[in-house]
Amino acid sequence: MEKQTGKACAPKLRCPEHRGEIGFQINGLSHIIRWITHQYAGEDGPRSGSGMYGWLIGFLYENRDKDIYQRDLQQQFSVRRSTMTGILQAMEKDGMITRRPVEWDARLKKIELTEKAIERQEKFQKNIGEVEAKLSAGLTPEEKQTFIALCEKIRQAIE
């Protein structure tokens, strides 16, 4: 069944209707959310809040009351030592982290966020809150609960 969806198709190509498919809807929402999130993230440059860089800052921020070492990050994010070393070197160069030797083993370096990274993370969290508000704006609390419950049910079915 062909149906126009508001977007023009290339000449001689069919525009199938996928709006009734869950995967199509989830994929579309994912792209929109990623685009909105990157609009906020892009304010501070290419590594501000996206990808591994952003995940590391978020993890370190949430665990700033604990001693975190490179090996902890390697395990948490399932990356090789060389990969994590490169990421941490870039973060250090950008002024996002410091690596400090611990008193009991000079070879071991505790990884800490700088004030710059903390401010960036707090701004990023605020922006994520704004995105969430936009996503929820047209929904009643009951509709939001139903949506989340359905997403969880779908997730369980495909895991």
Side-chain angles (χ1 to χ4, degrees), residues 70 85 88-89 92 97-101 109-111:
Q70 181 170 333
T85 297
L88 293 175
Q89 285 173 343
E92 197 168 26
I97 63 163
T98 58
R99 292 191 270 188
R100 298 177 197 231
K109 309 274 192 271
K110 179 179 174 183
I111 300 168

Side-chain angles (χ1 to χ4, degrees), residues 70-84:
Q70 181 170 333
R71 68 172 182 249
D72 300 319
L73 298 174
Q74 290 165 201
Q75 290 173 343
Q76 178 68 27
F77 294 99
S78 302
V79 296
R80 294 178 315 198
R81 182 177 171 200
S82 59
T83 301
M84 187 56 67

Side-chain angles (χ1 to χ4, degrees), residues 105-158:
D105 186 346
R107 297 169 297 172
L108 201 55
K109 309 274 192 271
K110 179 179 174 183
I111 300 168
E112 298 175 321
L113 291 176
T114 62
E115 192 59 39
K116 176 182 175 181
I118 291 169
E119 288 172 10
R120 188 174 286 180
Q121 179 65 17
E122 289 172 352
K123 181 179 178 184
F124 188 70
Q125 286 178 327
K126 178 180 174 270
N127 292 340
I128 293 299
E130 292 172 10
V131 170
E132 180 63 24
K134 284 181 182 181
L135 295 172
S136 301
L139 302 175
T140 66
E142 296 79 21
E143 289 171 329
K144 183 178 176 180
Q145 277 184 320
T146 300
F147 178 78
I148 291 169
L150 289 170
C151 288
E152 288 298 324
K153 195 171 186 177
I154 291 168
R155 181 177 283 116
Q156 289 173 2
I158 61 176

